[in-house]
Amino acid sequence: MGTFQPLAQRATDLLAERPSVELFAWTDEVIDALGHDPHDAYCEQFWLPIVGPSVYLLGRRFVIWLDANPDGLTVPLVPLSAAIGLGQGTGRNAPLIRSLARMVAFGLALVDPGDRLAVR
């Protein structure tokens, strides 16, 4: 398991039961130069089966929003969850919270010291 579980657990603890999350871009010169845009066919073919459809959809949506709001934005969690078909729950075991925790566990996002969600 390594660090996978502690990262996901911390993300779950910080994101559960919140009405919204502050979202901002997680810049990394290497990933920005060598990585793949979530809209690229490569991501759909190779990342989707690994991270799952909800994490993939969240990543794509976050990139669109962050392109339009480079300084970050506040994302209400209930409408986000409903929009991608994950219901309206934001509790510890809600599908949206589990998906956000998976994003963190896979290194696609992190919860910074200010409890904001940074996304690659």
Side-chain angles (χ1 to χ4, degrees):
M1 273 278 196
T3 60
F4 188 88
Q5 186 59 32
L7 290 173
Q9 185 64 46
R10 180 172 183 271
T12 298
D13 292 343
L14 293 172
L15 297 170
E17 305 295 343
R18 293 174 65 169
S20 62
V21 66
E22 297 294 319
L23 184 69
F24 70 102
W26 176 11
T27 56
D28 180 312
E29 291 179 17
V30 174
I31 298 296
D32 292 345
L34 302 176
H36 297 277
D37 185 288
H39 297 97
D40 190 282
Y42 175 89
C43 291
E44 185 172 334
Q45 184 173 0
F46 295 104
W47 275 101
L48 175 62
I50 294 169
V51 300
S54 59
V55 169
Y56 180 72
L57 286 173
L58 286 168
R60 286 178 58 123
R61 185 161 294 210
F62 290 166
V63 166
I64 291 168
W65 289 344
L66 288 168
D67 283 347
N69 301 280
D71 293 330
L73 66 151
T74 300
V75 178
L77 295 180
V78 171
L80 171 63
S81 185
I84 62 169
L86 296 179
Q88 296 186 10
T90 60
R92 294 186 54 75
N93 295 312
L96 175 67
I97 301 305
R98 289 195 325 257
S99 295
L100 292 172
R102 282 179 60 82
M103 286 186 84
V104 170
F106 277 105
L108 302 173
L110 66 80
V111 179
D112 80 348
D115 292 348
R116 302 178 306 164
L117 189 65
V119 181
R120 290 192 193 260

